[in-house]
Amino acid sequence: MALPACAARALGPPLQPERGAPARTTCPRRHSRVEAELAASRPGSVAASVRAGPPRGVSRGFNSQTLLDEPLKASSSLAGAARAPLFALLPRGRRRRMHDFRRRWDLGSLCRALLTRGLAALGHSLKHVLGAIFSKIFGPLASVGNMDEKSNKLLLALVMLFLFAVIVLQYVCPGTECQLLRLQAFSSPMPDPYRSEDESSARFVPRYNFSRGDLLRKVDFDIKGDDLIVFLHIQKTGGTTFGRHLVRNIQLEQPCECRVGQKKCTCHRPGKRETWLFSRFSTGWSCGLHADWTELTSCVPAVVDGKRDARLRPSRNFHYITILRDPVSRYLSEWRHVQRGATWKASLHVCDGRPPTSEELPSCYTGDDWSGCPLKEFMDCPYNLANNRQVRMLSDLTLVGCYNLSVMPEKQRNKVLLESAKSNLKHMAFFGLTEFQRKTQYLFEKTFNMNFISPFTQYNTTRASSVEINEEIQKRIEGLNFLDMELYSYAKDLFLQRYQFMRQKEHQEARRKRQEQRKFLKGRFLQTHFQSQSQGQNQNLSQNPSQNPNPNVNQNVTQNMTQNLTQSSGQNSSLKENQESQKQNPGQEPGDGHTSPGTSDYMGSVEKWR
């Protein structure tokens, strides 16, 4: 294939292969590559001059010859082709790719040279700084100033390792919430798992005066007997999570059987085909969807023992439990749930043997559901059951005529409902708060003597927390739920007082056990020590009977020590008997002479706080 005249004039005379060079081939591509290599090998060629000089962008001050030798061996043909007039005959796309490749290679060489010089300068400066420090500290023993090349490399490696560790730590733990960076983990080896969960002070000032019977909740629940735990599930209080803990996360002799794909679990007593738990995840909504206190107290006995004869029904104890939540958060969470299409139409609202009429309990929407409802419309409905829901579901509605608002004035009705809810909550076997998950777990375990497998988790980020409201809307929500606000304040005060009372009682019992153990060990030591001394004296007397004018002295001392030991053991046994009697009768109020020191200390501290 013949070249154009302009190309032939630009190329000049054809290159002659030198001695020992490969023969001319018929392949055009290989022929052009061979000619380019021959041109680059000539001393005065353009490619040779390119090879001799530093790459573009690198100054002659840097000793970059060692960095450029290896890459230029592979790209010498490309450099020669770029400088030769033959480069103009290549396609435009190929020329652009070759140009970009050379530019990237030059930038990489510059970066590598700068990084090498920078690290070398950093290592040199660190070497002198450390040498000066060590020379001042250790004096003539320091020889860091004469560090050889190996020491310099080792120091540079340590610096790079430290920088890499800092980068990895910032990537793994970007914030201040990392457990590794907390000073508390170093100051206290065993942190309290029941620390303040709402970022408030651990100690609080009690507002209500509760008796010892109100604070000490110790239920003698025998799972093998006939007693039953009834869970009152209020909407959007975290009851679903707590209900799952009861059937899946509790240590039992016969655990609940939960099958995959089924919401209900089978929770039978050991050796019986009878349930010990009445909740959504064990018996279902047997008394209606989210049945309240009025419905459960009249429905549960009939459901459990309805098929038995009245004379054969066992005398059961129904232990009611529930979970409460901050009213504003609960209200916003219910609004978001209604927005997604929740209606709770299956709720029966049975009171005094009948459900409410449409006039007594009107609906807030006309369609199938209230999905997409804005917050203003949700708050404007006067018949919305979300208003003061916790008070309504915990009170005895038969005291106010159920849902008939014309029975008594509104102010009197609200007062009766609030007092009824407080009384039922105080006499419940147990209640917890959503904002205190670990304390809720602790009080349940101490109340029923049942332990959970894994600890509860505190979720501070919920759907309600993602709703941004201003101060005006928050005050309006608090006004719509003013009864719930007062009930929650009462419940929180009672809950935290129960927790502190149980913790103080637990610490005092542990301290008393340690004291008894020390007394027992001290008595054992004195007894063995005196026995060894008496045996040695008896042996001496048997060997020298004439040197002991009064042989009854050792016997008297032995009798006195024996009497002291028996008296101390009798006191310990009487103390243990008193403890056992208190454990057998936990709900009984102690007399004036049997008041435990833990109770008096706690009640005294409560009076001091007031």
Side-chain angles (χ1 to χ4, degrees):
M1 175 178 167
L3 294 174
C6 60
R9 286 193 301 270
L11 290 175
L15 298 175
Q16 298 296 331
E18 298 179 358
R19 183 177 299 178
R24 184 183 180 90
T25 180
T26 56
C27 179
R29 292 185 179 179
R30 187 173 180 181
H31 174 67
S32 62
R33 187 175 69 251
V34 171
E35 288 185 352
E37 291 178 356
L38 290 174
S41 62
R42 292 183 179 180
S45 62
V46 180
S49 63
V50 172
R51 180 175 178 177
R56 185 175 59 199
V58 180
S59 63
R60 294 184 178 273
F62 290 99
N63 188 12
S64 59
Q65 185 64 28
T66 57
L67 295 174
L68 303 178
D69 286 338
E70 294 297 330
L72 277 175
K73 289 180 181 179
S75 62
S76 61
S77 60
L78 297 175
R83 295 295 182 179
L86 186 60
F87 182 73
L89 300 178
L90 297 176
R92 182 177 299 176
R94 189 171 180 183
R95 282 183 293 172
R96 186 182 297 110
R97 287 196 297 270
M98 293 176 65
H99 181 70
D100 293 342
F101 172 75
R102 178 176 176 82
R103 184 174 58 187
R104 287 195 300 269
W105 184 85
D106 291 344
L107 184 60
S109 302
L110 177 62
C111 291
R112 285 194 297 270
L114 291 176
L115 182 61
T116 304
R117 285 302 183 94
L119 291 178
L122 178 62
H124 187 70
S125 60
L126 285 176
K127 181 184 70 174
H128 285 286
V129 171
L130 292 177
I133 293 174
F134 275 90
S135 62
K136 289 184 178 180
I137 294 176
F138 297 101
L141 297 178
S143 60
V144 185
N146 299 325
M147 295 175 64
D148 53 358
E149 187 178 357
K150 292 184 178 180
S151 301
N152 193 4
K153 292 181 179 180
L154 179 61
L155 180 62
L156 183 61
L158 292 176
V159 172
M160 294 298 295
L161 182 62
F162 175 74
L163 294 177
F164 179 75
V166 171
I167 294 173
V168 171
L169 183 62
Q170 290 296 325
Y171 178 77
V172 175
C173 181
T176 58
E177 299 178 356
C178 183
Q179 298 293 335
L180 297 176
L181 299 179
R182 287 187 177 181
L183 297 178
Q184 185 179 2
F186 297 95
S187 60
S188 58
M190 292 294 292
D192 188 6
Y194 307 105
R195 57 184 173 81
S196 182
E197 295 166 297
D198 61 345
E199 299 181 359
S200 61
S201 58
R203 288 206 174 257
F204 72 104
V205 179
R207 296 176 52 192
Y208 299 90
N209 186 15
F210 297 105
S211 63
R212 182 179 183 275
D214 297 333
L215 299 179
L216 180 60
R217 308 304 293 172
K218 193 73 174 178
V219 176
D220 188 13
F221 178 73
D222 186 12
I223 195 172
K224 298 181 180 179
D226 297 321
D227 296 346
L228 193 69
I229 295 178
V230 183
F231 180 36
L232 196 159
H233 187 177
I234 303 175
Q235 288 95 319
K236 313 312 295 178
T237 57
T240 302
T241 303
F242 184 77
R244 289 197 181 101
H245 281 302
L246 292 178
V247 298
R248 298 177 183 269
N249 188 30
I250 199 166
Q251 295 179 0
L252 297 173
E253 180 181 350
Q254 182 177 343
C256 299
E257 297 180 2
C258 301
R259 298 180 180 179
V260 179
Q262 295 183 1
K263 293 183 178 181
K264 292 194 302 182
C265 302
T266 303
C267 300
H268 286 164
R269 305 178 190 271
K272 296 182 181 179
R273 297 188 60 84
E274 184 180 276
T275 184
W276 57 270
L277 177 64
F278 192 94
S279 69
R280 167 189 179 183
F281 293 105
S282 58
T283 57
W285 303 111
S286 301
C287 293
L289 181 62
H290 289 285
D292 54 16
W293 172 271
T294 308
E295 294 176 286
L296 289 177
T297 52
S298 61
C299 172
V300 172
V303 171
V304 175
D305 299 323
K307 298 180 180 179
R308 296 185 182 183
D309 189 6
R311 294 174 296 179
L312 301 178
R313 293 178 182 176
S315 57
R316 301 179 184 273
N317 293 322
F318 297 98
H319 303 289
Y320 289 88
I321 61 176
T322 190
I323 300 293
L324 297 181
R325 187 180 180 183
D326 176 70
V328 177
S329 300
R330 197 213 65 81
Y331 189 85
L332 292 174
S333 180
E334 182 171 346
W335 165 63
R336 293 293 299 271
H337 199 55
V338 168
Q339 269 193 330
R340 297 190 299 270
T343 59
W344 296 296
K345 289 182 178 179
S347 299
L348 302 178
H349 303 295
V350 176
C351 178
D352 205 4
R354 66 175 183 86
T357 61
S358 59
E359 290 79 12
E360 293 175 343
L361 190 62
S363 179
C364 291
Y365 54 91
T366 56
D368 296 333
D369 54 24
W370 209 2
S371 58
C373 168
L375 181 59
K376 185 178 184 304
E377 182 180 350
F378 189 78
M379 293 187 296
D380 290 341
C381 180
Y383 311 106
N384 194 350
L385 292 178
N387 301 336
N388 297 314
R389 181 181 288 276
Q390 297 182 96
V391 170
R392 180 181 58 81
M393 294 188 67
L394 289 175
S395 60
D396 188 1
L397 296 179
T398 59
L399 301 176
V400 294
C402 297
Y403 294 91
N404 189 1
L405 302 180
S406 61
V407 174
M408 61 180 63
E410 182 181 0
K411 187 175 181 181
Q412 183 181 358
R413 175 187 175 88
N414 293 335
K415 183 178 179 180
V416 173
L417 287 176
L418 182 60
E419 293 299 326
S420 176
K422 287 182 178 180
S423 177
N424 293 334
L425 186 70
K426 183 175 66 175
H427 293 93
M428 272 186 174
F430 164 80
F431 74 90
L433 299 181
T434 308
E435 289 74 19
F436 301 93
Q437 290 290 322
R438 297 299 298 273
K439 294 181 178 65
T440 298
Q441 176 185 357
Y442 174 80
L443 288 179
F444 182 88
E445 292 176 347
K446 294 300 180 182
T447 301
F448 289 96
N449 197 18
M450 302 169 71
N451 297 324
F452 290 96
I453 300 173
S454 59
F456 289 8
T457 305
Q458 183 69 42
Y459 295 103
N460 294 323
T461 303
T462 59
R463 291 189 178 95
S465 62
S466 62
V467 180
E468 296 182 359
I469 57 175
N470 52 28
E471 186 177 359
E472 182 181 357
I473 296 178
Q474 182 173 358
K475 288 183 178 180
R476 186 179 179 188
I477 294 176
E478 293 176 356
L480 292 173
N481 297 272
F482 68 100
L483 295 178
D484 277 5
M485 294 295 294
E486 189 171 350
L487 176 65
Y488 184 78
S489 176
Y490 175 87
K492 184 178 179 180
D493 192 279
L494 177 58
F495 178 84
L496 294 178
Q497 285 200 46
R498 282 181 178 177
Y499 169 75
Q500 286 195 354
F501 178 79
M502 295 297 293
R503 291 282 286 179
Q504 188 173 0
K505 188 172 180 294
E506 182 181 8
H507 292 332
Q508 290 179 353
E509 288 180 357
R511 190 184 305 113
R512 184 167 54 251
K513 288 181 180 179
R514 289 195 299 268
Q515 292 176 357
E516 291 178 358
Q517 187 176 9
R518 285 196 294 266
K519 288 180 180 180
F520 177 75
L521 294 176
K522 185 177 180 180
R524 288 284 300 273
F525 173 75
L526 291 176
Q527 184 178 5
T528 54
H529 180 67
F530 180 74
Q531 287 178 358
S532 63
Q533 285 185 351
S534 62
Q535 289 177 1
Q537 291 177 2
N538 291 332
Q539 290 178 1
N540 294 331
L541 290 175
S542 62
Q543 293 177 1
N544 301 319
S546 61
Q547 296 180 1
N548 187 13
N550 192 3
N552 296 325
V553 174
N554 294 328
Q555 296 179 0
N556 295 332
V557 174
T558 306
Q559 292 177 0
N560 293 332
M561 290 295 297
T562 306
Q563 290 177 0
N564 293 332
L565 291 174
T566 54
Q567 289 177 2
S568 63
S569 63
Q571 292 177 0
N572 292 333
S573 62
S574 62
L575 182 60
K576 291 181 180 178
E577 290 178 359
N578 294 332
Q579 291 178 0
E580 292 178 357
S581 63
Q582 290 179 4
K583 289 181 180 179
Q584 293 177 0
N585 300 320
Q588 184 177 0
E589 292 288 337
D592 297 335
H594 300 280
T595 303
S596 62
T599 307
S600 60
D601 293 345
Y602 181 80
M603 302 307 290
S605 61
V606 170
E607 294 297 333
K608 186 184 295 182
W609 292 336
R610 290 200 181 87

